């Protein structure tokens, strides 16, 4: 965070060693670390909590007021959360809720290793920076959500007709996030990267909005001509993203490359047999390799106009068989090694008729 460097330059704020943003997911009540400025933040990386399990934060969210904790080690309000913060070497905190049109979108944390650091005098100096940081963080989260909402609206309107539901997007984006979390250590994927992957994965098939009904909804196998037409959804999707880039200033959105890659390369295969470019191995961006596994697993286990739902076992066998051919083996392993998380996601996001 550039802002953090500026603030460190202010002598009185030198002991302010961490600024972090946690994102709140309304649907699941989960809070996750997103952006943080401190180095070696291991104790707090990939930290996930249910908001209702952290009463101190829930209270901040409810009142809308920032809160100072002078010594976290004397403070029992958040248990696991507090323990993590202390493990990270921090003793005091200043926490602001990020509210977006009255709805909680996350929290902004300032931490210091010094107990009692956030005195009234420091808070006075910190105030303008805190406002700017809260504004930037809200804008950043908001921008992604606005784009996502716009895209989802387009998808919904254009496919009143289609069987693919919101539940598919909810599930596949969570499989993608789960795979990302498994690969984070070995592939040095940051929390920020994984959060964007989660936000953008549901847009992988945006190009299908431009595929004619007679093909998209065909209740049987596609012939060669129809398949070729169908496969154009990838390039069409890329054009839509490019168009949105121009008209919404999407190129300002951090990590927009993740979105572009997910849309452009989600049908490429590890062995080079995919489309539309026939990219191979490491030429395929990791976010697309992950999305491919998440998307196909959910497509297989769902009913489509052209197929019945497969059982998890059948879908897992297929992934296993195609590992190293169609799919990136570590991404397949991540999914196969976590059957209970897969089932939990399936249980949470069940197909409903009006989804
Ligand atoms: P989709 O339904 O979201 O499926 C995404 C991907 O999941 C497919 O990419 C494929 O790799 C995998 N998949 C889905 N169902 C099956 C299956 O029954 N067997 C196997 N082996 N793999 C499956 P793909 O093939 O590139 O298809 C892209 C999109 O084209 C599909 O998205 C679907 O919308 C459409 N599509 C593909 N085949 C047919 C078909 O035979 N009939 C119709 N009506 N649409 C099809
Ligand atoms: C807490 O709310 O328990 C501490 C917040 C933090 O600084 O991470
Ligand atoms: C779309 O097709 O545009 C989104 C739904 C899906 O993942 O297929
Ligand atoms: Fe696709
Ligand atoms: Fe899909």
């Amino acid at each position: 965070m550039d802002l953090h460097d500026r603030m460190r330059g202010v002598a009185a704020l030198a002991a302010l060693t961490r600024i972090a943003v946690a994102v709140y997911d309304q649907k699941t009540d989960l809070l996750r670390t997103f952006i943080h400025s401190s180095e070696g933040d291991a104790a707090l990386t990939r930290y996930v909590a249910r908001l209702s399990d952290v009463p101190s934060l829930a209270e901040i969210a409810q009142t809308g007021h920032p809160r100072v904790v002078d010594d976290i080690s004397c403070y029992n309000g958040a248990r696991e959360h507090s323990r993590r913060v202390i493990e990270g070497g921090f003793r005091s905190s200043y926490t602001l809720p990020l509210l977006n049109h009255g709805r909680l979108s996350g929290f902004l944390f300032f931490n210091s290793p010094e107990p009692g650091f956030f005195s009234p005098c420091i808070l006075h100096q910190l105030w303008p920076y805190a406002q700017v940081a809260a504004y930037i963080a809200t804008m950043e989260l908001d921008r992604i959500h606005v784009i996502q909402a716009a895209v989802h609206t387009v998808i919904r309107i254009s496919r009143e007709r289609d069987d693919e539901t919101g539940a598919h997007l909810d599930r596949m984006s969570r499989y993608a996030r789960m795979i990302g979390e498994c690969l984070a250590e070995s592939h040095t994927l940051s929390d920020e990267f994984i959060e964007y992957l989660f936000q953008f994965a549901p847009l992988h098939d945006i190009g299908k909005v431009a595929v004619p009904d007679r093909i998209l909804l065909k209740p049987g196998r596609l012939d060669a001509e129809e398949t070729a037409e169908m496969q154009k959804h990838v390039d069409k999707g890329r054009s839509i993203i490019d168009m949105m880039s121009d008209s919404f200033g999407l190129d300002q959105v951090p990590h927009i490359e993740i979105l572009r890659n997910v849309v452009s390369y989600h049908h490429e295969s590890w062995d080079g047999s995919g489309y539309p470019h026939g990219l191979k191995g490491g030429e395929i961006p990791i976010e697309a390799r992950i999305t491919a596994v998440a998307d196909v697993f959910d497509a297989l286990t769902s009913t489509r106009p052209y197929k019945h739902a497969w059982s998890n076992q059948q879908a897992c066998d297929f992934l296993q068989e195609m590992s190293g051919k169609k799919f990136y083996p570590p991404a397949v392993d991540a999914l196969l090694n976590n059957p209970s998380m897969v089932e939990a996601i399936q249980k949470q996001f069940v197909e409903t008729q009006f989804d």
Side-chain angles (χ1 to χ4, degrees):
M1 253 187 223
D2 293 346
L3 186 66
H4 194 189
D5 292 334
R6 293 276 306 273
M7 293 166 72
R8 277 189 183 121
V10 179
L13 298 180
L16 175 70
T17 51
R18 175 177 182 261
I19 304 177
V21 175
V23 188
Y24 180 61
D25 180 357
Q26 302 268 359
K27 269 190 187 158
T28 53
D29 191 43
L30 288 180
L31 198 60
R32 306 168 174 272
T33 48
F34 179 36
I35 307 167
H36 56 77
S37 64
S38 49
E39 275 154 42
D41 207 355
L44 284 148
T45 296
R46 274 181 289 293
Y47 165 66
V48 180
R50 214 168 282 282
L51 181 61
S52 49
D53 293 339
V54 190
S56 59
L57 292 179
E59 193 190 317
I60 296 173
Q62 214 157 45
T63 62
H65 298 310
R67 184 206 57 194
V68 173
V69 178
D70 282 329
D71 193 342
I72 298 167
S73 60
C74 306
Y75 182 77
N76 288 320
R79 298 167 207 101
E80 168 74 4
H81 184 75
S82 302
R83 192 183 59 70
R84 294 267 202 145
V85 175
I86 293 163
E87 244 170 53
F90 305 106
R91 292 291 294 279
S92 55
S93 75
Y94 178 49
T95 307
L96 296 96
L98 299 174
L99 298 171
N100 197 351
H101 306 295
R103 276 172 52 157
L104 182 72
S105 58
F107 293 94
L108 179 63
F109 301 109
F110 294 92
N111 293 107
S112 170
E114 292 177 14
F117 173 72
F118 297 95
S119 66
C121 170
I122 288 289
L123 286 182
H124 184 73
Q125 294 187 52
L126 186 59
W127 184 245
Y129 294 101
Q131 292 307 298
V132 174
Y135 180 74
I136 293 172
T138 306
M139 286 295 289
E140 212 163 282
L141 299 179
D142 196 29
R143 197 141 45 163
I144 300 169
H145 288 139
V146 164
I147 290 159
Q148 251 207 334
V151 167
H152 280 170
T153 306
V154 172
I155 290 173
R156 194 172 304 170
I157 291 171
S158 62
R159 335 175 85 207
E160 296 271 305
R161 51 192 178 119
D162 188 29
D163 282 19
E164 265 179 82
T165 61
H168 163 63
L169 303 181
D170 283 327
R171 285 188 305 261
M172 67 78 57
S173 57
R174 281 166 181 82
Y175 298 146
R177 180 166 65 190
M178 181 188 90
I179 296 170
E181 280 164 358
C182 292
L183 302 189
E185 203 107 320
S186 53
H187 293 64
T188 48
L189 309 179
S190 67
D191 285 350
E192 203 175 346
F193 177 92
I194 295 167
E195 177 65 23
Y196 279 108
L197 173 61
F198 169 62
Q199 296 288 342
F200 292 146
L203 307 183
H204 66 281
D205 269 340
I206 180 148
K208 282 187 185 172
V209 302
V211 173
D213 279 8
R214 77 180 162 84
I215 294 171
L216 191 65
L217 302 182
K218 183 177 177 181
R221 310 289 329 164
L222 302 177
D223 65 27
E225 177 265 329
E226 292 164 336
T227 299
E229 190 61 33
M230 183 70 221
Q231 294 190 345
K232 289 185 190 161
H233 80 277
V234 170
D235 285 332
K236 286 174 171 168
R238 194 187 175 108
S239 305
I240 291 171
I241 299 300
D242 288 343
M243 226 164 57
M244 296 210 314
S245 255
D246 292 342
S247 45
F248 288 122
L250 216 65
D251 46 330
Q252 302 290 314
V253 175
H255 298 281
I256 197 67
E257 226 26 53
I258 297 173
L259 172 58
R260 206 182 295 280
N261 289 340
V262 159
V263 170
S264 305
Y265 306 118
H266 72 277
H267 285 294
E268 298 292 346
S269 294
W270 185 243
D271 64 3
S273 64
Y275 65 90
H277 302 290
L279 298 186
K280 199 173 176 169
E283 292 168 359
I284 308 165
I286 182 82
E287 52 271 38
R289 286 180 248 158
I290 292 172
T291 303
V293 172
D295 180 38
V296 172
F297 181 77
D298 200 67
L300 293 176
T301 50
S302 304
T303 303
R304 291 283 198 261
Y306 63 96
K307 62 174 275 295
H308 294 295
W310 296 16
S311 69
N312 282 357
Q313 187 57 52
Q314 289 171 310
C316 287
D317 291 347
F318 179 80
L319 291 187
Q320 184 73 270
E321 189 193 320
M322 289 295 161
S323 181
K325 298 175 190 155
K326 195 175 168 71
F327 303 118
Y328 180 49
V332 170
D333 294 343
L335 196 128
L336 297 186
N337 291 337
N338 288 284
S340 59
M341 281 179 75
V342 168
E343 281 160 30
I345 292 167
Q346 289 173 328
K347 229 170 117 186
Q348 188 174 8
F349 299 98
V350 181
E351 229 58 55
T352 60
Q353 213 179 337
F354 301 104
D355 204 8

